[in-house]
Amino acid sequence: MPQIAQILETYASQFFWLLIVFGLIYLTIGHGMLPKIEANMDARDRKIADDLAAAERARAEADDLGDSGEAGLASARAAAQAKASDAKTKGAKDAEARLAKADAEVVVKLAAAEAALSAATAKAMASIETVAAEAAADIVVKVSGAKVTPAQAAKAVKAVMTNG
Amino acid sequence: MAGESGKIDPMHQFQIEPLAPLKIAGYDVAFTNSSLFMILVLGALWLFMWGGMKRELVPGRWQMAVEGVTGFVNNMLTSSVGPEGKKYVPLVFSLFMFILMANFMGMMPFGIVPGVHPFTVTSHLTITAVLAVISFGTVLVVGFWKHGLHFFSLFVPHGTPWWLLWLIPLIELFSFLIRPFSLALRLFVAMTAGHVLMKVLAGFVINGLNAEAAWVPLVVSIPSFILMIGITLLELLVCAIQAYVFALLTSLYINDAVNLH
């Protein structure tokens, strides 16, 4: 086994070169390059944490804005609803008033029309009576040849019409 | 690696060959193939880290890989030591990455280039021992620095009955002192055994193909080759696991030193 057979001849060289090489590694890499790499990693971790915090803040802000926007929207909607219902009740009242007015006019017109109608009916009835009396007198003349006075005819017609 | 008689020596891969002689203060510190692979590990690690140094806000693939490893070590220390563990990230990261890269570097198929042999730095006891001493020494220094002599209360766990006070501290002391040896031996043995196994299987494949009897390749080489594919994948896993175990144990030991029990 050369590791043991050669130990006396080679230990000095092995120690010497190992200490040089390991010392170089420890100083230039362990204390030179490694801290820079670690500092870079730490800086990156910090940056990521900062960015995440900023994003969180922005999100909270956006949430706040959204909340206030929603509140504004809700109040605007409530105001609009109130206005709409106001307008509706006002419109309904207006319509009622107009309707009542129209109703009254219609009632007056209706009464006048009814009066006119009944007058016309009465007039027509009266004229029917005279026409019927004349017709009855004529019929009596034609049938019996007897002369009937208009007054007699009218009396007879009236009697029939009220009974009939 | 083939010897003079065509025999394949599975231990030859651990041989340290001097490439350039160098003497400092009477010590032979020659630049060897082991040193070369340590330099390669340093270069590969440096390249890997450099690729992740773009430091972009949105990381690319390479940066993601580097940040994944650093995050992994960071996580390991913060979960086993707590927030104070951050201080030890450079050390544990260096240990983890050096062991990981050295393990992988030994698995690289450099052997396909004639005359080049990959060398596993971490398969040498001298290397793993130094790494274990670095880990253990950190624990000692941190422990005595933070707690002074109170650090010895580590050997008396909470709730020890008074009539066991003569035995438990002794056991705890031994288990504490064994830590550097277990750290060093675990890594060294795992890497050595794995590479020996792979080399033995490769020897079966090659010697089977060279055998005179025609049935030998079919019966020996092909099954060995199939087995070797599996063992190689397993070894790659072991490379990562051993680096992880070393780093995890180091962070647990540092936890002992920082927080006592």
Side-chain angles (χ1 to χ4, degrees):
Chain A
M1 195 175 237
Q3 289 100 316
I4 292 164
Q6 284 187 311
I7 202 161
L8 283 179
E9 310 144 41
T10 58
Y11 77 94
S13 156
Q14 291 278 72
F15 288 177
F16 178 75
W17 288 104
L18 176 62
L19 289 178
I20 286 178
V21 167
F22 191 76
L24 277 174
I25 288 176
Y26 181 67
L27 291 177
T28 64
I29 290 173
H31 277 289
M33 293 163 139
L34 188 65
K36 284 182 193 157
I37 289 168
E38 288 195 324
N40 186 39
M41 286 165 78
D42 287 349
R44 179 186 311 132
D45 287 351
R46 211 165 31 246
K47 173 127 179 51
I48 289 171
D50 284 358
D51 285 0
L52 279 179
E56 183 62 34
R57 262 200 310 282
R59 199 174 64 90
E61 228 165 79
D63 276 1
D64 278 3
L65 276 180
D67 283 355
S68 67
E70 237 162 66
L73 205 62
S75 70
R77 191 178 291 141
Q81 258 166 0
K83 248 181 211 172
S85 69
D86 267 12
K88 214 185 270 172
T89 49
K90 206 173 145 201
K93 252 183 220 162
D94 259 19
E96 230 169 76
R98 250 185 255 166
L99 205 63
K101 207 173 143 199
D103 258 358
E105 274 169 24
V106 165
V107 164
V108 169
K109 268 188 195 165
L110 207 61
E114 259 169 24
L117 198 64
S118 63
T121 314
K123 212 175 145 192
M125 283 304 254
S127 55
I128 278 175
E129 260 173 48
T130 49
V131 169
E134 278 169 19
D138 284 353
I139 291 164
V140 167
V141 170
K142 276 191 185 159
V143 169
S144 62
K147 272 270 190 192
V148 179
T149 62
Q152 274 173 322
K155 202 178 155 197
V157 166
K158 212 168 211 164
V160 172
M161 278 179 77
T162 43
N163 291 336
Chain B
M1 86 190 71
E4 308 83 51
S5 60
K7 218 180 82 188
I8 292 167
D9 177 12
M11 302 312 279
H12 185 262
Q13 56 177 326
F14 304 118
Q15 195 82 35
I16 294 178
E17 319 272 10
L19 300 177
L22 181 68
K23 259 187 195 293
I24 292 175
Y27 287 103
D28 177 21
V29 291
F31 188 78
T32 61
N33 53 350
S34 176
S35 323
L36 175 67
F37 270 81
M38 285 186 235
I39 302 283
L40 278 179
V41 166
L42 174 64
L45 186 50
W46 190 82
L47 186 72
F48 174 68
M49 296 299 284
W50 174 81
M53 288 290 285
K54 291 195 195 77
R55 299 167 69 188
E56 281 162 7
L57 187 63
V58 179
R61 287 179 200 193
W62 199 325
Q63 193 184 340
M64 205 69 206
V66 174
E67 286 179 358
V69 181
T70 58
F72 172 70
V73 174
N74 206 328
N75 215 9
M76 184 161 69
L77 275 163
T78 38
S79 62
S80 54
V81 183
E84 261 191 280
K86 285 229 178 250
K87 268 192 285 183
Y88 308 101
V89 169
L91 177 76
V92 176
F93 183 79
S94 304
L95 283 170
F96 176 69
M97 287 312 275
F98 177 75
I99 294 170
L100 188 72
M101 285 283 183
N103 290 354
F104 279 147
M105 202 56 85
M107 293 290 293
M108 291 292 145
F110 297 136
I112 57 171
V113 181
V116 178
H117 305 297
F119 183 87
T120 314
V121 178
T122 40
S123 69
H124 271 258
L125 193 51
T126 39
I127 299 294
T128 60
V130 172
L131 294 176
V133 164
I134 290 172
S135 163
F136 188 68
T138 308
V139 171
L140 283 183
V141 169
V142 169
F144 282 113
W145 186 277
K146 281 188 88 80
H147 304 289
L149 291 180
H150 195 62
F151 183 52
F152 286 111
S153 72
L154 188 64
F155 304 132
V156 189
H158 286 303
T160 311
W162 61 268
W163 48 272
L164 272 177
L165 272 179
W166 59 277
L167 181 61
I168 296 285
L170 209 64
I171 294 174
E172 289 282 329
L173 177 66
F174 271 105
S175 83
F176 183 76
L177 292 179
I178 282 168
R179 283 173 181 182
F181 297 98
S182 67
L183 271 181
L185 284 173
R186 184 181 301 112
L187 181 55
F188 154 64
V189 166
M191 297 325 292
T192 303
H195 281 272
V196 168
L197 182 58
M198 286 199 296
K199 201 64 69 171
V200 167
L201 281 172
F204 284 170
V205 175
I206 292 164
N207 288 338
L209 287 174
N210 290 340
E212 279 163 32
W215 56 270
V216 175
L218 207 65
V219 175
V220 176
S221 295
I222 292 173
S224 299
F225 187 70
I226 291 167
L227 183 59
M228 203 180 154
I229 293 172
I231 296 286
T232 307
L233 294 176
L234 184 71
E235 272 308 301
L236 286 171
L237 183 68
V238 168
C239 286
I241 287 176
Q242 285 301 323
Y244 172 62
V245 165
F246 199 101
L248 181 67
L249 285 175
T250 300
S251 50
L252 290 178
Y253 296 160
I254 288 174
N255 175 45
D256 277 354
V258 172
N259 300 320
L260 291 179
H261 269 296

